[in-house]
Amino acid sequence: MASYRASMDSQRLSEQRGSTGSQGGQDADVSRALNTLWDNEEVREMVQTRLLPLVSSTGAVFLEYLARLRAVAADRLSRSPEEERAREAELCAAWRGGRQLDADRARLEGQLRDQAEQLGGQVADKARAVALLRHNVNLVRRQCQEEVKLIVDKSERAMVLEWRNSEYRQENLKAELNTATEKMAATLAAHLAEEKELRVKRHKMETLLLTWLQKFDADVGEKFQEHEELSEEYENEAQQMRELTERMEAQEGEYRSLLAEKQRYEKEEEDEAVFALASKHAAKVIQRAWRAYRLRKRLAKAAKKKGKGKGKKKAK
């Protein structure tokens, strides 16, 4: 029943799209009549409730296939020739692609078989290598077990020998312990006697120290008194020293003024002496210059007189 309703709906859809078949207007009239009947609710309800349940199983199968045929026809009629050709081209391309995929699959299956055979040979080689390694491991294991057994035997013998040596050393240590105990007892007795003597000496030293402390206290008392007296005397002398220092500081200004006046007086005397020497030297220089000037004047006059005398003689 559901397939029948689907076929009716697909038929109505194809008619609404304006599809045309080989029968032309007659099919269109039949379709319109069926649509008119199907649009009637009473007719549709009667078909669904009364007629469809009366259809046999074979008829139902027939109606199912008929509905599928109508759906396929409606789908084919809904496409244009160009769309159909494009769809056929796509199907051809898909078929060729499927053929190519089949060829690739066959090629890959051959490669897989070759690789499986190759891997089978490698696995066999690996299995033989593993068997050889297991054999070697077993040999090494037996050798290790034998070596461990030898080592254990040697260790046991060494332990027995060490145990015997340990017993011998223990006996020696016991003897040494007894000797050391006796020696310690003798040393302890000697130390106790020495301690007694040291206690007597310490008592004497403490008594002597107490005597020295008492004497020190007495001496320190006297020295402290002397120190107080010396401190007082030092303070007095320091006070006198401070007073003298203040006096010297007061007289230092006067001393400096006198010293400055003395230096000024000495400088004046020095300047006067320098001026006197300079004046004396200048006088001598002036006198020499004056004598030289007078000498040149006399020489010039004498030269003029000689020139005049020679001229008169020539005139005569």
Side-chain angles (χ1 to χ4, degrees):
M1 184 171 61
S3 61
Y4 181 73
R5 286 198 298 269
S7 64
M8 293 298 293
D9 293 336
S10 62
Q11 183 178 359
R12 291 177 61 189
L13 180 61
S14 62
E15 290 177 357
Q16 289 175 1
R17 291 180 179 177
S19 62
T20 57
S22 60
Q23 294 180 359
Q26 185 177 0
D27 292 337
D29 294 336
V30 173
S31 297
R32 282 194 295 272
L34 291 174
N35 289 330
T36 301
L37 292 173
W38 186 255
D39 291 336
N40 192 344
E41 294 182 0
E42 294 179 357
V43 174
R44 186 167 60 249
E45 184 178 358
M46 182 185 67
V47 170
Q48 292 176 354
T49 58
R50 296 182 182 180
L51 296 179
L52 289 178
L54 298 177
V55 179
S56 62
S57 60
T58 305
V61 172
F62 175 73
L63 290 175
E64 181 71 24
Y65 284 120
L66 183 61
R68 292 181 182 179
L69 178 60
R70 286 181 178 178
V72 171
D75 183 58
R76 294 289 297 275
L77 292 174
S78 63
R79 288 194 297 270
S80 63
E82 290 78 5
E83 293 177 351
E84 186 66 25
R85 284 193 294 272
R87 186 170 180 273
E88 289 180 356
E90 291 177 358
L91 291 174
C92 291
W95 179 76
R96 287 193 295 271
R99 292 289 300 275
Q100 183 65 33
L101 290 175
D102 291 337
D104 294 339
R105 185 184 64 184
R107 180 175 55 80
L108 292 174
E109 288 178 353
Q111 292 179 359
L112 287 174
R113 284 193 298 272
D114 295 338
Q115 290 180 0
E117 293 176 358
Q118 185 178 1
L119 290 174
Q122 293 179 359
V123 168
D125 295 337
K126 296 292 183 181
R128 287 192 294 272
V130 168
L132 180 60
L133 290 173
R134 286 180 179 175
H135 178 68
N136 294 332
V137 167
N138 292 327
L139 291 176
V140 172
R141 184 179 298 170
R142 285 195 295 271
Q143 291 177 359
C144 291
Q145 289 176 354
E146 292 176 357
E147 291 179 358
V148 168
K149 186 177 180 181
L150 291 174
I151 292 170
V152 169
D153 293 338
K154 290 181 180 179
S155 299
E156 289 178 352
R157 288 194 295 271
M159 288 174 63
V160 171
L161 182 61
E162 186 65 25
W163 177 70
R164 291 177 180 175
N165 293 331
S166 177
E167 287 184 347
Y168 177 73
R169 286 195 298 271
Q170 287 180 3
E171 292 177 357
N172 292 332
L173 290 173
K174 286 180 181 179
E176 292 178 359
L177 179 61
N178 294 329
T179 304
T181 303
E182 294 175 356
K183 186 176 181 180
M184 185 184 70
T187 304
L188 180 61
H191 286 175
L192 290 174
E194 186 177 359
E195 182 182 1
K196 186 176 180 180
E197 293 178 359
L198 291 174
R199 285 181 180 179
V200 174
K201 289 181 180 180
R202 187 183 69 178
H203 180 68
K204 291 180 180 179
M205 292 297 295
E206 288 177 353
T207 304
L208 183 61
L209 179 61
L210 182 61
T211 304
W212 279 103
L213 287 174
Q214 292 174 355
K215 185 178 180 181
F216 175 76
D217 292 337
D219 293 340
V220 166
E222 295 177 359
K223 296 298 182 182
F224 182 75
Q225 184 66 28
E226 293 178 0
H227 178 267
E228 291 292 331
E229 294 175 357
L230 291 173
S231 297
E232 185 177 358
E233 185 177 357
Y234 171 76
E235 290 293 334
N236 295 329
E237 292 180 356
Q239 182 65 28
Q240 293 176 3
M241 185 67 181
R242 285 193 292 272
E243 292 176 356
L244 291 174
T245 303
E246 291 176 357
R247 291 178 183 177
M248 288 180 65
E249 289 178 355
Q251 293 177 359
E252 186 176 0
E254 185 178 357
Y255 171 75
R256 288 180 179 177
S257 62
L258 292 174
L259 182 62
E261 186 176 357
K262 179 183 177 183
Q263 290 177 354
R264 183 176 58 78
Y265 177 73
E266 290 177 352
K267 189 173 186 307
E268 289 178 356
E269 289 182 350
E270 184 179 356
D271 292 340
E272 290 177 357
V274 170
F275 180 74
L277 290 174
S279 299
K280 189 176 182 180
H281 179 70
K284 289 181 179 180
V285 171
I286 292 170
Q287 289 176 1
R288 288 195 200 98
W290 177 250
R291 291 191 190 99
Y293 175 73
R294 291 180 65 184
L295 180 61
R296 286 195 300 273
K297 292 288 286 181
R298 285 196 298 269
L299 292 174
K301 288 179 179 181
K304 287 180 179 180
K305 288 180 179 181
K306 288 180 180 181
K308 289 180 179 180
K310 290 179 179 180
K312 289 179 179 181
K313 289 179 179 181
K314 289 180 179 180
K316 289 179 178 182

